[in-house]
Amino acid sequence: MNILFIMLAFPKLEEPSMYTSLVREFKRNGHSVYPVAPLIPEYNHTGLYEENGVEVLRVKTLDLFDNNLFKKGVANISLSFLYKKAIKKYWRDLRIDVIVVPTPSVLFADVVTEMAGHYKAKVYLMLKDIFPQNAVDLGMMKKNGLIYRYFRSKEKKLYKSAEWIGCTSQGNIDYLLAHNQVTAKVHILNNCSEPIALNIDDDLKNKVRKEYGLRDNFVVVFGGNMGKPQQLENVILLAKSCEVFPDVIFLIIGKGTQLSRLKDLVENEQLHNVKLIDQLPLLKYRELVSSCDIGLISLHKNFTVPNTPYKLNDYFALHLPVLASIDHGTDLGKILVENEAGLYAYADKPDNLFEQFKRLYLNADLRKKMGYNGNKFFNANMTIRIAYKTMLSHMMYS
Protein backbone atom coordinates (compact mmCIF):
# COMPACT_ATOMS: atom_id res chain seq x y z
CA MET A 1 0.00 0.00 0.00
CA ASN A 2 0.94 3.65 -0.46
CA ILE A 3 0.40 5.53 2.78
CA LEU A 4 0.47 9.27 3.41
CA PHE A 5 1.28 10.08 7.06
CA ILE A 6 0.15 13.57 8.10
CA MET A 7 2.09 14.29 11.29
CA LEU A 8 2.61 17.03 13.84
CA ALA A 9 5.06 15.69 16.46
CA PHE A 10 7.59 13.96 14.21
CA PRO A 11 11.36 14.08 14.88
CA LYS A 12 13.95 12.94 12.37
CA LEU A 13 12.84 9.56 11.05
CA GLU A 14 15.78 7.60 12.48
CA GLU A 15 15.01 8.88 15.98
CA PRO A 16 12.76 6.85 18.32
CA SER A 17 9.17 7.95 18.82
CA MET A 18 5.75 6.36 18.47
CA TYR A 19 5.16 7.83 15.02
CA THR A 20 8.64 7.48 13.51
CA SER A 21 8.75 3.86 14.68
CA LEU A 22 5.33 3.20 13.14
CA VAL A 23 6.36 4.71 9.79
CA ARG A 24 9.54 2.59 9.81
CA GLU A 25 7.47 -0.53 10.59
CA PHE A 26 5.20 0.06 7.60
CA LYS A 27 8.26 0.58 5.39
CA ARG A 28 9.94 -2.59 6.74
CA ASN A 29 6.87 -4.54 5.67
CA GLY A 30 7.02 -3.38 2.06
CA HIS A 31 4.66 -0.42 2.05
CA SER A 32 5.49 2.90 0.41
CA VAL A 33 5.44 5.61 3.08
CA TYR A 34 5.09 9.36 2.58
CA PRO A 35 5.40 11.31 5.86
CA VAL A 36 4.62 15.04 5.92
CA ALA A 37 5.59 16.95 9.05
CA PRO A 38 6.89 20.32 10.30
CA LEU A 39 10.48 21.40 9.76
CA ILE A 40 13.10 20.29 12.28
CA PRO A 41 16.08 22.49 13.28
CA GLU A 42 18.45 20.92 10.72
CA TYR A 43 16.36 22.27 7.81
CA ASN A 44 15.30 25.78 6.91
CA HIS A 45 12.78 25.56 4.09
CA THR A 46 9.86 23.46 2.90
CA GLY A 47 11.00 20.52 0.79
CA LEU A 48 11.77 16.82 0.52
CA TYR A 49 14.49 15.47 2.79
CA GLU A 50 15.88 11.94 2.86
CA GLU A 51 15.69 10.48 6.37
CA ASN A 52 16.58 6.87 7.03
CA GLY A 53 16.00 5.98 3.38
CA VAL A 54 12.60 7.69 3.22
CA GLU A 55 11.65 10.99 1.59
CA VAL A 56 9.98 13.14 4.24
CA LEU A 57 8.12 16.27 3.21
CA ARG A 58 9.05 18.88 5.79
CA VAL A 59 6.86 21.99 5.91
CA LYS A 60 7.94 25.37 7.20
CA THR A 61 5.29 26.55 9.67
CA LEU A 62 4.85 29.43 12.06
CA ASP A 63 5.97 28.84 15.65
CA LEU A 64 3.63 26.11 16.89
CA PHE A 65 4.91 26.42 20.46
CA ASP A 66 4.98 30.20 20.90
CA ASN A 67 4.25 31.30 24.47
CA ASN A 68 1.89 33.93 23.09
CA LEU A 69 -1.45 32.11 22.83
CA PHE A 70 -2.66 34.29 19.93
CA LYS A 71 0.48 33.61 17.87
CA LYS A 72 0.34 29.93 18.75
CA GLY A 73 -3.31 29.82 17.68
CA VAL A 74 -2.58 31.48 14.33
CA ALA A 75 0.32 29.07 13.75
CA ASN A 76 -1.90 26.04 14.34
CA ILE A 77 -4.78 27.37 12.26
CA SER A 78 -2.40 27.90 9.33
CA LEU A 79 -1.20 24.27 9.41
CA SER A 80 -3.80 22.84 7.05
CA PHE A 81 -3.21 25.50 4.41
CA LEU A 82 0.57 25.09 4.53
CA TYR A 83 0.38 21.29 4.39
CA LYS A 84 -2.05 21.33 1.45
CA LYS A 85 0.18 23.73 -0.44
CA ALA A 86 3.28 21.58 0.14
CA ILE A 87 1.60 18.26 -0.69
CA LYS A 88 0.16 19.65 -3.91
CA LYS A 89 3.54 21.03 -4.93
CA TYR A 90 5.64 17.92 -4.23
CA TRP A 91 3.27 14.94 -4.17
CA ARG A 92 0.27 15.90 -6.31
CA ASP A 93 0.67 12.94 -8.69
CA LEU A 94 1.22 10.20 -6.11
CA ARG A 95 -1.12 7.25 -5.82
CA ILE A 96 -2.19 7.11 -2.17
CA ASP A 97 -4.34 4.32 -0.73
CA VAL A 98 -4.57 5.38 2.92
CA ILE A 99 -3.99 8.62 4.83
CA VAL A 100 -2.90 8.12 8.45
CA VAL A 101 -3.34 11.07 10.82
CA PRO A 102 -3.07 11.23 14.62
CA THR A 103 -4.66 13.76 16.97
CA PRO A 104 -3.63 16.32 17.84
CA SER A 105 -4.31 18.34 15.73
CA VAL A 106 -7.98 18.55 14.73
CA LEU A 107 -6.85 21.42 12.56
CA PHE A 108 -5.62 18.84 10.05
CA ALA A 109 -9.28 18.18 9.21
CA ASP A 110 -9.21 20.38 6.11
CA VAL A 111 -6.02 18.95 4.62
CA VAL A 112 -7.09 15.38 5.41
CA THR A 113 -10.52 15.84 3.80
CA GLU A 114 -9.16 17.55 0.70
CA MET A 115 -6.28 15.08 0.19
CA ALA A 116 -8.58 12.10 0.75
CA GLY A 117 -10.75 13.43 -2.07
CA HIS A 118 -7.80 14.22 -4.31
CA TYR A 119 -6.22 10.77 -3.93
CA LYS A 120 -9.52 8.89 -3.50
CA ALA A 121 -7.89 7.50 -0.35
CA LYS A 122 -9.33 6.20 2.90
CA VAL A 123 -8.46 7.79 6.24
CA TYR A 124 -7.14 6.07 9.38
CA LEU A 125 -7.40 8.33 12.45
CA MET A 126 -5.21 7.58 15.48
CA LEU A 127 -7.21 9.20 18.28
CA LYS A 128 -4.72 10.19 20.99
CA ASP A 129 -6.44 13.28 22.41
CA ILE A 130 -10.06 14.36 22.36
CA PHE A 131 -9.84 18.09 21.71
CA PRO A 132 -11.33 20.66 22.33
CA GLN A 133 -13.15 19.04 25.27
CA ASN A 134 -9.90 18.41 27.15
CA ALA A 135 -9.13 22.14 26.92
CA VAL A 136 -12.60 22.93 28.28
CA ASP A 137 -11.99 20.54 31.18
CA LEU A 138 -8.84 22.47 32.13
CA GLY A 139 -10.53 25.87 31.92
CA MET A 140 -8.49 26.88 28.88
CA MET A 141 -11.55 27.31 26.69
CA LYS A 142 -15.19 28.21 27.31
CA LYS A 143 -17.74 25.53 26.50
CA ASN A 144 -19.82 26.59 23.47
CA GLY A 145 -17.83 29.77 23.04
CA LEU A 146 -16.80 30.92 19.57
CA ILE A 147 -13.32 29.36 19.76
CA TYR A 148 -14.73 26.09 21.10
CA ARG A 149 -17.33 25.91 18.32
CA TYR A 150 -14.64 26.50 15.70
CA PHE A 151 -12.43 23.65 16.99
CA ARG A 152 -15.42 21.40 17.58
CA SER A 153 -16.49 21.80 13.94
CA LYS A 154 -13.00 20.72 12.84
CA GLU A 155 -13.12 17.77 15.22
CA LYS A 156 -16.44 16.59 13.77
CA LYS A 157 -15.10 17.04 10.24
CA LEU A 158 -12.07 14.90 11.06
CA TYR A 159 -14.23 12.12 12.51
CA LYS A 160 -16.50 12.25 9.48
CA SER A 161 -13.54 11.86 7.11
CA ALA A 162 -12.29 8.69 8.82
CA GLU A 163 -12.91 5.16 7.62
CA TRP A 164 -11.23 3.78 10.76
CA ILE A 165 -10.58 5.28 14.21
CA GLY A 166 -8.08 3.67 16.60
CA CYS A 167 -8.64 4.66 20.25
CA THR A 168 -6.26 4.15 23.19
CA SER A 169 -8.76 2.39 25.48
CA GLN A 170 -12.33 1.13 25.72
CA GLY A 171 -13.17 4.22 27.76
CA ASN A 172 -11.91 6.35 24.88
CA ILE A 173 -14.18 4.44 22.49
CA ASP A 174 -17.21 4.78 24.76
CA TYR A 175 -16.68 8.53 25.11
CA LEU A 176 -16.21 9.02 21.37
CA LEU A 177 -19.39 7.16 20.48
CA ALA A 178 -21.45 8.80 23.25
CA HIS A 179 -20.62 12.33 22.10
CA ASN A 180 -20.34 12.00 18.33
CA GLN A 181 -22.15 10.56 15.35
CA VAL A 182 -19.42 8.29 14.01
CA THR A 183 -19.72 6.01 11.00
CA ALA A 184 -16.07 4.89 11.10
CA LYS A 185 -15.04 1.45 12.27
CA VAL A 186 -13.84 2.13 15.84
CA HIS A 187 -11.43 -0.15 17.71
CA ILE A 188 -8.65 -0.13 20.29
CA LEU A 189 -5.19 0.96 19.14
CA ASN A 190 -2.99 1.27 22.20
CA ASN A 191 -0.20 3.80 22.50
CA CYS A 192 2.77 1.91 21.11
CA SER A 193 6.55 1.85 21.34
CA GLU A 194 9.47 -0.38 20.47
CA PRO A 195 10.40 -3.06 23.02
CA ILE A 196 13.17 -1.68 25.19
CA ALA A 197 16.50 -3.46 24.70
CA LEU A 198 18.00 -2.94 28.15
CA ASN A 199 19.72 -5.52 30.31
CA ILE A 200 17.96 -4.44 33.51
CA ASP A 201 20.03 -6.11 36.20
CA ASP A 202 21.34 -5.14 39.63
CA ASP A 203 24.66 -3.94 38.19
CA LEU A 204 22.91 -1.42 35.89
CA LYS A 205 20.62 -0.25 38.69
CA ASN A 206 23.49 0.24 41.10
CA LYS A 207 25.54 2.10 38.51
CA VAL A 208 22.69 4.46 37.61
CA ARG A 209 21.67 5.02 41.22
CA LYS A 210 25.24 5.93 42.11
CA GLU A 211 25.44 8.37 39.17
CA TYR A 212 22.34 10.24 40.31
CA GLY A 213 22.98 10.07 44.04
CA LEU A 214 20.10 7.71 44.77
CA ARG A 215 21.97 4.68 46.14
CA ASP A 216 19.71 3.05 48.78
CA ASN A 217 16.69 5.31 48.27
CA PHE A 218 13.21 4.08 47.48
CA VAL A 219 12.60 6.01 44.24
CA VAL A 220 9.25 7.13 42.86
CA VAL A 221 9.71 8.44 39.31
CA PHE A 222 7.54 10.83 37.33
CA GLY A 223 8.77 11.26 33.77
CA GLY A 224 7.57 13.39 30.89
CA ASN A 225 5.61 16.55 30.35
CA MET A 226 4.94 18.91 33.25
CA GLY A 227 1.86 20.86 32.27
CA LYS A 228 -1.56 21.72 33.63
CA PRO A 229 -3.03 18.32 32.59
CA GLN A 230 -0.67 16.58 35.04
CA GLN A 231 -1.93 18.44 38.18
CA LEU A 232 1.52 18.32 39.71
CA GLU A 233 0.18 19.71 42.99
CA ASN A 234 -0.87 16.15 43.80
CA VAL A 235 2.68 14.91 43.24
CA ILE A 236 3.91 17.51 45.72
CA LEU A 237 1.21 16.58 48.25
CA LEU A 238 2.24 12.93 47.99
CA ALA A 239 5.92 13.82 48.43
CA LYS A 240 5.06 15.84 51.52
CA SER A 241 3.10 12.92 53.00
CA CYS A 242 6.04 10.61 52.29
CA GLU A 243 8.43 12.66 54.44
CA VAL A 244 7.63 10.15 57.21
CA PHE A 245 9.70 7.63 55.22
CA PRO A 246 13.29 8.98 55.22
CA ASP A 247 14.46 6.73 52.37
CA VAL A 248 11.76 7.79 49.87
CA ILE A 249 12.69 10.21 47.11
CA PHE A 250 10.63 11.57 44.23
CA LEU A 251 12.49 11.83 40.95
CA ILE A 252 10.79 14.19 38.49
CA ILE A 253 12.27 14.15 34.99
CA GLY A 254 11.33 16.36 32.05
CA LYS A 255 10.12 19.81 31.21
CA GLY A 256 6.92 21.71 30.55
CA THR A 257 4.91 24.85 31.17
CA GLN A 258 4.51 24.08 34.89
CA LEU A 259 8.18 23.37 35.62
CA SER A 260 8.92 26.77 37.20
CA ARG A 261 5.74 26.51 39.29
CA LEU A 262 6.76 23.05 40.39
CA LYS A 263 10.14 24.36 41.52
CA ASP A 264 8.36 27.08 43.52
CA LEU A 265 6.10 24.49 45.19
CA VAL A 266 9.11 22.36 46.18
CA GLU A 267 10.89 25.41 47.59
CA ASN A 268 7.85 26.79 49.42
CA GLU A 269 7.11 23.42 51.02
CA GLN A 270 10.81 23.01 51.85
CA LEU A 271 10.76 19.50 50.45
CA HIS A 272 14.07 17.62 50.57
CA ASN A 273 12.72 14.40 49.07
CA VAL A 274 12.09 15.79 45.58
CA LYS A 275 14.82 15.75 42.93
CA LEU A 276 14.22 17.57 39.62
CA ILE A 277 16.14 16.49 36.54
CA ASP A 278 16.01 18.13 33.12
CA GLN A 279 14.91 16.21 30.04
CA LEU A 280 17.36 13.39 29.24
CA PRO A 281 18.32 11.53 26.05
CA LEU A 282 15.98 8.57 25.66
CA LEU A 283 18.51 5.86 26.57
CA LYS A 284 19.68 7.73 29.68
CA TYR A 285 16.05 8.35 30.65
CA ARG A 286 15.13 4.69 30.34
CA GLU A 287 18.22 3.55 32.25
CA LEU A 288 17.26 5.91 35.06
CA VAL A 289 13.59 4.89 35.08
CA SER A 290 14.54 1.21 35.09
CA SER A 291 16.46 1.75 38.35
CA CYS A 292 13.41 3.20 40.16
CA ASP A 293 10.84 1.42 42.31
CA ILE A 294 7.48 2.94 41.28
CA GLY A 295 6.31 4.75 38.14
CA LEU A 296 3.98 7.67 38.94
CA ILE A 297 1.17 9.03 36.77
CA SER A 298 -0.87 12.13 37.59
CA LEU A 299 -3.93 13.38 35.69
CA HIS A 300 -5.97 16.50 36.38
CA LYS A 301 -9.09 15.90 38.46
CA ASN A 302 -11.28 17.94 36.08
CA PHE A 303 -10.76 15.76 33.02
CA THR A 304 -13.93 14.23 31.63
CA VAL A 305 -12.19 12.75 28.59
CA PRO A 306 -10.49 9.36 29.09
CA ASN A 307 -6.70 9.71 28.86
CA THR A 308 -3.99 7.06 28.54
CA PRO A 309 -0.61 8.76 29.18
CA TYR A 310 2.25 7.65 26.95
CA LYS A 311 4.59 7.37 29.95
CA LEU A 312 2.67 4.21 30.85
CA ASN A 313 4.47 2.43 27.98
CA ASP A 314 7.91 2.98 29.48
CA TYR A 315 6.79 2.06 32.99
CA PHE A 316 5.26 -1.19 31.77
CA ALA A 317 8.14 -2.02 29.43
CA LEU A 318 10.66 -1.44 32.24
CA HIS A 319 8.83 -3.63 34.78
CA LEU A 320 7.74 -0.79 37.08
CA PRO A 321 4.55 -1.06 39.14
CA VAL A 322 2.38 1.99 38.51
CA LEU A 323 0.85 4.38 41.02
CA ALA A 324 -1.71 6.67 39.40
CA SER A 325 -3.64 9.75 40.50
CA ILE A 326 -6.52 9.89 38.03
CA ASP A 327 -9.71 11.69 37.11
CA HIS A 328 -13.13 10.04 37.22
CA GLY A 329 -13.42 10.05 33.42
CA THR A 330 -10.52 7.77 32.56
CA ASP A 331 -10.50 3.98 32.60
CA LEU A 332 -6.77 3.87 33.37
CA GLY A 333 -7.50 2.70 36.91
CA LYS A 334 -9.57 -0.17 35.56
CA ILE A 335 -6.73 -1.18 33.23
CA LEU A 336 -4.23 -1.19 36.11
CA VAL A 337 -6.45 -3.17 38.47
CA GLU A 338 -7.75 -5.72 35.94
CA ASN A 339 -4.19 -6.50 34.84
CA GLU A 340 -2.78 -6.31 38.40
CA ALA A 341 -0.16 -3.86 37.14
CA GLY A 342 -0.65 -0.95 39.54
CA LEU A 343 -2.80 0.96 42.02
CA TYR A 344 -4.70 4.22 41.73
CA ALA A 345 -6.60 6.89 43.63
CA TYR A 346 -8.81 9.68 42.37
CA ALA A 347 -7.14 13.06 41.99
CA ASP A 348 -9.84 14.84 44.00
CA LYS A 349 -8.89 12.70 47.02
CA PRO A 350 -5.09 13.00 47.29
CA ASP A 351 -4.99 11.43 50.79
CA ASN A 352 -6.06 8.13 49.23
CA LEU A 353 -3.02 8.25 46.95
CA PHE A 354 -0.76 8.13 50.00
CA GLU A 355 -2.59 5.05 51.25
CA GLN A 356 -2.07 3.34 47.90
CA PHE A 357 1.59 4.37 47.94
CA LYS A 358 2.05 2.68 51.31
CA ARG A 359 0.63 -0.59 49.94
CA LEU A 360 3.37 -0.62 47.31
CA TYR A 361 6.12 0.75 49.56
CA LEU A 362 5.59 -1.91 52.22
CA ASN A 363 5.24 -4.90 49.88
CA ALA A 364 8.20 -5.77 47.66
CA ASP A 365 6.49 -8.92 46.40
CA LEU A 366 3.47 -6.91 45.25
CA ARG A 367 5.74 -4.46 43.40
CA LYS A 368 7.55 -7.30 41.68
CA LYS A 369 4.30 -9.00 40.67
CA MET A 370 2.80 -5.77 39.30
CA GLY A 371 5.98 -4.92 37.41
CA TYR A 372 5.93 -8.34 35.79
CA ASN A 373 2.24 -8.04 34.88
CA GLY A 374 2.72 -4.58 33.38
CA ASN A 375 5.55 -5.86 31.21
CA LYS A 376 3.37 -8.77 30.12
CA PHE A 377 0.58 -6.34 29.14
CA PHE A 378 3.07 -4.19 27.22
CA ASN A 379 4.40 -7.11 25.18
CA ALA A 380 0.90 -8.37 24.41
CA ASN A 381 -0.73 -5.03 23.54
CA MET A 382 1.58 -2.02 23.22
CA THR A 383 4.46 -2.77 20.85
CA ILE A 384 4.92 -1.11 17.46
CA ARG A 385 4.58 -4.50 15.78
CA ILE A 386 1.17 -5.08 17.38
CA ALA A 387 -0.02 -1.58 16.44
CA TYR A 388 1.09 -2.17 12.86
CA LYS A 389 -0.79 -5.47 12.68
CA THR A 390 -3.91 -3.88 14.19
CA MET A 391 -3.90 -1.01 11.71
CA LEU A 392 -3.16 -3.27 8.74
CA SER A 393 -5.93 -5.70 9.67
CA HIS A 394 -8.45 -2.87 9.31
CA MET A 395 -6.90 -1.28 6.25
CA MET A 396 -6.75 -4.57 4.35
CA TYR A 397 -9.80 -6.46 5.46
CA SER A 398 -12.56 -4.01 6.44
Side-chain angles (χ1 to χ4, degrees):
M1 281 191 298
N2 296 340
I3 305 171
L4 177 69
F5 292 86
I6 297 181
M7 297 294 182
L8 185 60
F10 197 76
K12 206 164 187 178
L13 190 55
E14 53 263 36
E15 295 179 14
S17 79
M18 177 168 23
Y19 300 124
T20 54
S21 296
L22 200 55
V23 169
R24 291 197 302 268
E25 184 68 22
F26 272 91
K27 181 177 183 289
R28 268 197 298 269
N29 284 276
H31 303 281
S32 297
V33 294
Y34 300 94
V36 53
L39 280 183
I40 51 178
E42 294 97 306
Y43 313 139
N44 56 22
H45 65 273
T46 296
L48 296 172
Y49 298 89
E50 185 175 331
E51 300 177 14
N52 204 41
V54 172
E55 276 196 333
V56 179
L57 176 53
R58 293 286 180 179
V59 181
K60 187 172 184 178
T61 68
L62 301 176
D63 187 354
L64 299 168
F65 305 101
D66 198 296
N67 290 328
N68 182 297
L69 288 179
F70 176 77
K71 290 181 179 179
K72 184 177 180 179
V74 172
N76 279 273
I77 289 170
S78 68
L79 276 175
S80 234
F81 168 77
L82 294 171
Y83 272 46
K84 281 191 287 186
K85 183 179 177 182
I87 293 170
K88 288 177 180 177
K89 178 178 179 180
Y90 291 94
W91 285 343
R92 176 185 291 274
D93 297 326
L94 289 179
R95 180 180 65 80
I96 297 294
D97 302 300
V98 177
I99 297 172
V100 173
V101 58
T103 60
S105 163
V106 298
L107 292 172
F108 282 143
D110 291 344
V111 65
V112 168
T113 302
E114 187 168 331
M115 291 302 102
H118 173 74
Y119 293 122
K120 296 180 174 54
K122 294 181 178 180
V123 175
Y124 189 111
L125 174 62
M126 302 172 67
L127 191 64
K128 301 301 178 185
D129 292 292
I130 295 181
F131 178 86
Q133 183 57 48
N134 55 7
V136 172
D137 291 342
L138 296 177
M140 301 168 68
M141 195 179 294
K142 186 177 179 181
K143 182 82 170 185
N144 295 323
L146 182 62
I147 297 174
Y148 169 85
R149 293 201 303 272
Y150 173 78
F151 285 119
R152 178 69 171 135
S153 69
K154 299 298 181 186
E155 181 191 16
K156 289 179 179 179
K157 186 175 183 179
L158 193 56
Y159 295 156
K160 188 177 179 180
S161 72
E163 178 78 14
W164 312 281
I165 300 178
C167 297
T168 57
S169 72
Q170 186 59 48
N172 221 243
I173 290 175
D174 295 342
Y175 185 94
L176 173 69
L177 297 179
H179 294 84
N180 300 275
Q181 293 182 330
V182 175
T183 59
K185 299 174 181 69
V186 183
H187 54 276
I188 290 179
L189 180 72
N190 287 288
N191 287 332
C192 56
S193 50
E194 299 279 8
I196 296 174
L198 270 182
N199 183 18
I200 306 169
D201 56 18
D202 289 340
D203 288 341
L204 174 64
K205 290 182 179 181
N206 291 335
K207 175 190 171 188
V208 172
R209 281 173 168 261
K210 182 178 179 181
E211 181 181 352
Y212 289 94
L214 302 171
R215 295 190 181 273
D216 297 325
N217 289 106
F218 184 95
V219 186
V220 183
V221 64
F222 178 94
N225 188 47
M226 300 177 206
K228 194 170 182 181
Q230 283 72 45
Q231 194 171 347
L232 294 169
E233 296 89 342
N234 280 1
V235 176
I236 297 303
L237 286 172
L238 180 60
K240 190 166 182 63
S241 297
C242 286
E243 286 182 312
V244 296
F245 301 117
D247 63 325
V248 173
I249 190 165
F250 283 75
L251 191 61
I252 302 177
I253 311 168
K255 63 180 182 179
T257 58
Q258 297 292 301
L259 179 56
S260 60
R261 184 166 182 273
L262 180 65
K263 290 178 179 177
D264 290 340
L265 287 171
V266 171
E267 185 176 335
N268 292 340
E269 295 292 338
Q270 296 183 325
L271 292 174
H272 302 292
N273 63 348
V274 176
K275 188 180 184 73
L276 300 175
I277 296 180
D278 202 357
Q279 194 170 26
L280 295 170
L282 187 60
L283 179 59
K284 296 285 288 183
Y285 169 77
R286 286 175 169 169
E287 286 180 346
L288 183 51
V289 170
S290 73
S291 73
C292 298
D293 297 286
I294 294 175
L296 184 62
I297 286 173
S298 181
L299 296 173
H300 200 285
K301 65 181 180 180
N302 291 342
F303 273 134
T304 62
V305 177
N307 288 288
T308 311
Y310 187 61
K311 59 173 63 68
L312 185 68
N313 285 53
D314 276 345
Y315 293 163
F316 276 179
L318 294 168
H319 295 81
L320 261 66
V322 175
L323 179 64
S325 174
I326 63 174
D327 57 89
H328 289 271
T330 185
D331 55 342
L332 175 59
K334 183 180 179 181
I335 293 169
L336 293 176
V337 170
E338 286 186 350
N339 292 282
E340 297 184 90
L343 302 175
Y344 75 94
Y346 288 114
D348 56 0
K349 296 182 179 178
D351 289 345
N352 291 351
L353 188 65
F354 179 54
E355 295 303 313
Q356 296 290 58
F357 166 81
K358 286 192 291 185
R359 287 181 61 191
L360 289 171
Y361 175 73
L362 297 171
N363 194 331
D365 289 339
L366 180 62
R367 295 197 305 272
K368 184 176 181 180
K369 175 185 174 182
M370 288 185 165
Y372 172 83
N373 289 339
N375 181 260
K376 182 179 177 181
F377 183 88
F378 172 84
N379 288 319
N381 299 280
M382 303 175 89
T383 67
I384 292 292
R385 182 65 180 168
I386 289 166
Y388 163 75
K389 288 182 176 180
T390 299
M391 295 174 72
L392 191 68
S393 69
H394 289 278
M395 294 175 182
M396 297 286 288
Y397 307 116
S398 64

